[in-house]
Amino acid sequence: MHRHLAARRLRVARLAALASGAWLAVGCATLAHAADPADITINGSRVHPESITSDAAGNIYVPSTGGTIYRALAGTTTAEPWIAPGAENGLTSAFGVLADEQRGFLWVCNNPPFGGPPQPGAKSSLKAFDLKTGALKASYDFPTDGPAICNDIAVDRLGTTFATDTSGGRIFALAPDGQALTVFAKDASLVGIDGIAFAEDGTMYINNVRQNTMQRVNRNGTDFASLTTLTLSQPIAGPDGLRHYGGNQFLQAEGSGNRVTYVEIDGDRALVVPIKTGLESSPGVTRVGCIGYATEGKINYLFDPALRDKDPGEFIIRAFPLPATRCP
């Protein structure tokens, strides 16, 4: 009992240091001194990346609204076109991406052309590409009962793949041996769902880009049970990509907040600490060792009439040191 009390006090002290920024500043300063991370330039025009992922080797994968998937090999500073859209793979506008090394897949959320005129019969889908060759392995259409946007992806410990549907307010599931997506959860309160990730203990967490919330998805076995909205230590703005960092800790990209935050969840509460600011509409984040990488979507160039016809310039994946205490 005394050990549990001591551990609790240590945890409270560490969270207090986090909230004050002292622990984070020391951790990042230490790491930044050890290695100066280099940004990565995406070799393409009007890329507008929505997500980002990485594999254990340090390769980085980035989608684009035009459908091309870019890859930066470990140690390089340029992401080159890797998978080009075509009739064979059906890529039109790629959103969420996730490296699934257990099966050797790159999961991709594909949607009808983003920002363009509707295409008859175009559907959102979850696609699996070979992580080594880029060849299409499988494609699973979203059920067509209303609007849908495949946004982000996570895989649980049993190998079930989950994909979020922002417009339809749904979470779809694909069993390890499944041939089609099934509805895991559907609720009006899920409209705006975006990022999805699992904690170390298997608990599912999501965020909502429209409601600026984070939630725990409570499950009864493998079935959806309910949602718990977390109490945040500070407001978040446009939460998007969500990546597991360790234990109950996550990295979260905030598009309209123009930042990446460290999130530590304790029960129904979440400590939110900014670790990279000054980004230009940042929808995605990933990590390679002790380095974080964030995409800049420059989304205003797609929707702002004053910017729509202007050149958004280069698209850069921003590199930054991560809190040293969580690095291997």
Side-chain angles (χ1 to χ4, degrees):
M1 181 173 180
H2 292 297
R3 288 199 305 270
H4 292 312
L5 181 58
R8 175 69 178 175
R9 287 174 175 170
L10 179 62
R11 180 179 178 81
V12 170
R14 186 166 66 84
L15 291 180
L18 258 172
S20 70
W23 171 84
L24 195 63
V26 171
C28 287
T30 302
L31 184 56
H33 178 74
D36 186 17
D39 291 343
I40 297 172
T41 301
I42 303 175
N43 183 17
S45 62
R46 298 190 176 276
V47 177
H48 302 290
E50 201 282 333
S51 182
I52 186 171
T53 190
S54 53
D55 60 27
N59 302 310
I60 291 174
Y61 307 84
V62 181
S64 69
T65 55
T68 299
I69 307 296
Y70 295 83
R71 180 180 64 176
L73 295 175
T76 65
T77 56
T78 304
E80 301 287 356
W82 182 50
I83 305 175
E88 182 179 342
N89 58 39
L91 283 171
T92 46
S93 188
F95 279 36
V97 290
L98 182 72
D100 179 359
E101 294 190 85
Q102 184 174 352
R103 278 170 287 194
F105 287 170
L106 177 71
W107 292 106
V108 177
C109 267
N110 188 58
N111 292 290
F114 191 60
Q119 289 187 354
K123 297 180 180 179
S124 293
S125 61
L126 176 66
K127 295 180 180 291
F129 293 86
D130 189 289
L131 195 55
K132 292 183 178 180
T133 68
L136 180 68
K137 304 296 290 185
S139 185
Y140 307 92
D141 285 346
F142 273 23
T144 56
D145 57 339
I149 294 178
C150 183
N151 208 321
D152 213 345
I153 310 148
V155 180
D156 73 4
R157 294 183 295 186
L158 299 177
T160 298
T161 305
F162 294 85
T164 60
D165 173 10
T166 302
S167 294
R170 296 174 291 187
I171 304 174
F172 289 107
L174 179 69
D177 57 351
Q179 302 301 309
L181 292 164
T182 60
V183 176
F184 166 73
K186 180 179 180 180
D187 192 274
S189 66
L190 284 172
V191 173
I193 184 176
D194 200 315
I196 182 170
F198 289 93
E200 191 172 289
D201 64 2
T203 302
M204 179 189 294
Y205 292 95
I206 59 173
N207 59 32
N208 193 300
V209 69
R210 299 182 188 178
Q211 300 179 37
N212 295 316
T213 57
M214 295 189 68
Q215 294 176 305
R216 183 176 64 247
V217 179
N218 305 306
R219 294 194 280 178
N220 182 9
T222 59
D223 297 328
F224 171 74
S226 62
L227 297 170
T228 299
T229 299
L230 303 179
T231 299
L232 307 178
S233 65
Q234 65 172 272
I236 55 179
D240 205 309
L242 187 65
R243 298 298 190 212
H244 182 233
Y245 192 29
N248 284 339
Q249 302 151 9
F250 299 86
L251 297 176
Q252 179 168 257
E254 296 182 24
S256 55
N258 302 308
R259 66 183 190 175
V260 170
T261 55
Y262 165 94
V263 179
E264 182 165 350
I265 298 172
D266 185 8
D268 295 345
R269 296 180 174 273
L271 178 72
V272 179
V273 180
I275 58 175
K276 177 63 176 177
T277 59
L279 299 168
E280 190 170 358
S281 59
S282 47
V285 63
T286 192
R287 68 176 292 197
V288 176
C290 294
I291 306 300
Y293 292 91
T295 50
E296 293 184 305
K298 300 186 180 183
I299 200 73
N300 288 345
Y301 284 86
L302 290 173
F303 296 106
D304 187 341
L307 297 174
R308 191 174 298 162
D309 296 326
K310 294 185 178 180
D311 183 4
E314 285 187 319
F315 285 83
I316 309 294
I317 302 169
R318 302 297 180 183
F320 54 95
L322 292 172
T325 58
R326 288 303 314 172
C327 290

